[in-house]
């Protein structure tokens, strides 16, 4: 059973930083792309960042230059370093992967940015 468990969310003031972590289990993590999504209240879910097995990365325009996705294959963990946070970054952040033809999601971690 593939499991994704996020952590690292919390309350931070605008301009601050947080680092989210997502620990994955029970699949070939090193050969699988990993994503971070977010969903703000009343809004559609948004793809924030992607990292491939070859460590290529891609970001939503809204977070480019502020967020960095990375991975540690030895720890089966993907990270999202979030700097210069803005109130509009407030959302539940979910880790996602697609493997064995199926989509897997973590339960999410809440990030709240106060102005």
């Amino acid at each position: 059973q593939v499991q994704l468990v996020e952590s690292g969310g919390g309350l931070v003031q605008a301009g601050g930083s947080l680092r989210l972590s997502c620990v994955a289990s029970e699949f070939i993590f090193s050969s699988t792309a990993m994503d971070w999504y977010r969903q703000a209240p009343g809004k559609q879910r948004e793809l924030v960042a992607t990292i491939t097995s070859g460590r290529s990365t891609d970001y939503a325009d809204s977070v480019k230059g502020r967020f960095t996705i990375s991975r540690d294959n030895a720890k089966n963990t993907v990270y999202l370093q979030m700097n210069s946070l803005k109130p509009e970054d407030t959302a539940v952040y979910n880790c996602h992967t697609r493997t064995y033809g199926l989509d897997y999601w973590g339960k999410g971690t809440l990030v709240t940015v106060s102005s």
Side-chain angles (χ1 to χ4, degrees):
Q1 179 71 21
V2 175
Q3 291 186 330
L4 304 174
V5 180
E6 303 97 336
S7 62
L11 174 63
V12 63
Q13 288 188 334
S17 298
L18 284 174
R19 188 176 81 155
L20 306 184
S21 300
C22 171
V23 179
S25 65
E26 303 298 328
F27 68 104
I28 306 174
F29 178 84
S30 62
S31 61
T32 304
M34 300 293 298
D35 314 296
W36 284 98
Y37 281 79
R38 69 184 180 186
Q39 188 166 21
K43 294 188 176 181
Q44 289 189 334
R45 186 165 56 198
E46 173 189 23
L47 176 60
V48 175
T50 297
I51 186 165
T52 68
S53 59
R55 301 181 188 271
S56 295
T57 59
D58 196 16
Y59 299 92
D61 288 343
S62 58
V63 307
K64 281 182 181 177
R66 301 188 298 122
F67 290 11
T68 302
I69 189 170
S70 61
R71 64 192 300 157
D72 184 339
N73 290 339
K75 296 182 178 180
N76 278 16
T77 301
V78 61
Y79 303 99
L80 186 67
Q81 177 67 43
M82 306 185 295
N83 298 330
S84 302
L85 282 161
K86 304 175 181 180
E88 51 263 44
D89 294 318
T90 295
V92 174
Y93 285 72
N94 294 92
C95 184
H96 166 268
T97 191
R98 182 173 177 84
T99 186
Y100 306 124
L102 297 175
D103 290 296
Y104 294 93
W105 298 88
K107 291 183 177 180
T109 186
L110 176 62
V111 172
T112 303
V113 184
S114 63
S115 57

